[in-house]
Amino acid sequence: MRATAAHLGRDELRDEPEIGADRVRLAAALDLKLGSVPVLLARLHAAVSATAPDFVLTVKTGEEYESLFGPWLPSRNPAWR
């Protein structure tokens, strides 16, 4: 997930260079503290790990999502090679 977050961060800045300033303004308006990516990933991992072991997220069509911390590798995305 750390490698994926790094790729997504670069994509985000490339596609929306103003996103950092927007994020700071939104956090201030909501009185939220912005965390670093490693801290946020650790919190996300803890939340995902706390779900029932057999929990599977599905959408209305019945498609199932893999865990954010599963076996998918960023190298499978051609844009990130």
Side-chain angles (χ1 to χ4, degrees):
M1 192 64 185
R2 286 185 295 259
T4 298
H7 287 290
L8 290 172
R10 283 192 296 273
D11 287 355
E12 182 180 65
L13 287 174
R14 181 195 67 227
D15 297 341
E16 300 181 50
E18 71 287 347
I19 195 103
D22 292 345
R23 186 176 288 129
V24 170
R25 279 194 302 275
L26 181 60
L30 296 173
D31 198 27
L32 298 173
K33 293 182 182 177
L34 292 175
S36 67
V37 171
V39 168
L40 296 174
L41 288 177
R43 290 180 185 167
L44 178 60
H45 186 265
V48 169
S49 298
T51 62
D54 56 351
F55 177 80
V56 177
L57 178 64
T58 59
V59 293
K60 290 180 183 179
T61 62
E63 181 181 3
E64 297 180 354
Y65 283 85
E66 294 180 28
S67 170
L68 294 171
F69 295 90
W72 190 88
L73 297 173
S75 59
R76 290 176 48 190
N77 182 335
W80 291 346
R81 289 188 188 145

